[in-house]
Amino acid sequence: MSDAPLSRWEQGGEKNTGYARRFAELVESGADVDGEARLADTLVPRHARILDAGSGMGRVAAYLQSRGHRVVAAEPDHRLVEQSRQMYPDLAVLPHDILGLTDDVLAAAGAPNAFDLVVCVGNVVTFVADGTEVAVLRRLGELLRPDGRILVGFHLQGGPETARRVTPEQFAAEVAQAGLLVDHRFGGYDLRPVDDQYAVWILRAAT
Ligand SMILES: C[S@@+](CC[C@H](N)C(=O)[O-])C[C@H]1O[C@@H](n2cnc3c(N)ncnc32)[C@H](O)[C@@H]1O
């Protein structure tokens, strides 16, 4: 773990445990939980290097690994790391938050430190610790290969009560501060038009 202050996810405590339960049930029932991962798969060449930053119970990273990509999953919540390891035993998970994903940590894990795609979906950017939003985005940008991109998704309305409310304008300003550019914004992982409910962003480094 890094020295970062408590994330909103950690502060939410038991209020956030519904996520783990809900996705376990969805997977068990055969529901489609791969929408984010299918979009991610279209953004990269075959056998790409992909980082799933805030991988939760592992559904996105596991799908991408099953497609033949070299996936690094990173998740700081030890309960979710445990759930992920039980549900997807072939998926290695680094028990670190984004700011804790230093070059040394990645090297020690035998992981690359530059990726074709960083996936940061499911409200992760609205759950990071207050005051770390720009630093987190900057670190994700540092982890990109030259043509690499970042896929981000979060609720604008109706999201988890413990997450930060952020407007598209606020987020775009944080993206710019972090030295990133917005390539695209959509209203969902099916690339529906922009709306006021959910925001999907494809970002890249400014230089
Ligand atoms: C709603 S879950 C989504 C998990 C997963 N991305 C998914 O879509 O299934 C939100 C996640 O954000 C993670 N998170 C919060 N702050 C983080 C940080 N600074 N670095 C990495 N993950 C973080 C939490 O640990 C939690 O797993």
Side-chain angles (χ1 to χ4, degrees):
M1 297 284 288
S2 75
D3 295 332
L6 277 189
S7 70
R8 281 179 168 264
W9 183 261
E10 291 166 298
Q11 285 180 21
E14 293 306 308
K15 285 186 179 167
N16 290 329
T17 53
Y19 158 80
R21 224 177 14 255
R22 185 162 55 88
F23 274 99
E25 287 167 7
L26 287 171
V27 170
E28 175 74 16
S29 72
D32 177 16
V33 295
D34 299 328
E36 298 94 329
R38 285 197 299 273
L39 174 57
D41 186 45
T42 68
L43 297 176
V44 289
R46 300 306 83 191
H47 310 293
R49 294 174 177 193
I50 301 178
L51 170 66
D52 187 358
S55 55
M57 48 72 76
R59 66 194 174 102
V60 177
Y63 176 95
L64 290 168
Q65 186 167 271
S66 77
R67 300 293 301 155
H69 300 298
R70 179 169 182 193
V71 179
V72 176
E75 170 53 51
D77 180 335
H78 65 90
R79 292 166 304 182
L80 293 178
V81 172
E82 187 51 37
Q83 180 179 3
S84 182
R85 286 177 178 159
Q86 280 182 16
M87 293 190 74
Y88 307 106
D90 295 337
L91 177 70
V93 184
L94 304 184
H96 292 281
D97 66 32
I98 291 164
L99 294 178
L101 283 180
T102 61
D103 286 356
D104 285 348
V105 162
L106 291 165
N113 65 0
F115 296 87
D116 299 294
L117 183 70
V118 173
V119 177
C120 195
V121 298
N123 292 306
V124 172
V125 295
T126 61
F127 274 118
V128 302
D130 287 341
T132 66
E133 296 85 357
V134 173
V136 161
L137 288 171
R138 188 175 294 121
R139 181 62 189 146
L140 295 183
E142 289 168 356
L143 290 168
L144 294 179
R145 295 177 101 177
D147 289 330
R149 295 187 285 181
I150 307 172
L151 176 64
V152 176
F154 58 87
H155 279 92
L156 298 173
Q157 287 186 41
E161 62 168 300
T162 53
R164 177 174 70 121
R165 301 282 161 255
V166 57
T167 66
E169 294 73 24
Q170 266 175 285
F171 185 69
E174 290 167 3
V175 164
Q177 266 184 278
L180 301 172
L181 295 175
V182 175
D183 267 352
H184 304 283
R185 179 182 156 204
F186 304 102
Y189 298 98
D190 54 2
L191 308 188
R192 69 185 63 189
V194 165
D195 67 22
D196 61 358
Q197 299 297 308
Y198 199 88
V200 171
W201 308 75
I202 299 175
L203 312 174
R204 64 186 161 89
T207 51

